[in-house]
Amino acid sequence: MTKVIATLIAGLFATAAFAQTPATAPAAPAVVKAEAKETKAVAKAEAKETKAEIKAEAKSAKVEAEAKKDVAVAKADEKSDKADAHAKASKTKAKAHAKAEKAEAAATPAPVVTK
């Protein structure tokens, strides 16, 4: 009988210990709420980081496009300068040729006609 009573008393204490565990259950929503808040903060930080990366990529692409545009403008200017130089050289050559012909004509006396 003593063993039966001891078992009943031990069982009573065990159920009392297990019965008290639901008292910590109200703390669980606070933990869940904190975890949700933390998850939200992490998601927000990741979104900010992604946004910054996209912004940096767009800026880089813009700078690259401007550089390509500058190169194209420089090439066009170079072609224009080359064409101007070619035209100037042709004009100078034509002038020199005309001057040489004029000098040659002046140096050669007119043929004398005898009657």
Side-chain angles (χ1 to χ4, degrees), residues 3-102:
K3 287 184 179 180
V4 174
I5 294 175
T7 306
L8 287 175
I9 293 175
L12 184 68
F13 282 119
T15 34
F18 283 117
Q20 289 182 0
T21 52
T24 59
V31 171
V32 170
K33 204 173 197 181
E35 286 178 0
K37 206 174 203 179
E38 184 180 334
T39 305
K40 186 177 178 183
V42 168
K44 197 173 187 180
E46 287 176 357
K48 233 180 205 181
E49 186 177 314
T50 305
K51 188 177 180 182
E53 286 176 7
I54 291 170
K55 215 175 202 181
E57 287 176 8
K59 199 172 197 179
S60 173
K62 185 177 180 183
V63 168
E64 190 174 317
E66 286 179 9
K68 284 183 180 180
K69 182 181 173 186
D70 290 345
V71 168
V73 167
K75 282 184 179 179
D77 286 347
E78 184 180 325
K79 280 185 179 181
S80 175
D81 291 345
K82 191 174 182 181
D84 288 345
H86 183 67
K88 190 174 183 181
S90 295
K91 190 175 179 182
T92 306
K93 281 183 183 179
K95 277 185 179 180
H97 186 63
K99 193 174 186 181
E101 282 182 1
K102 198 175 195 182

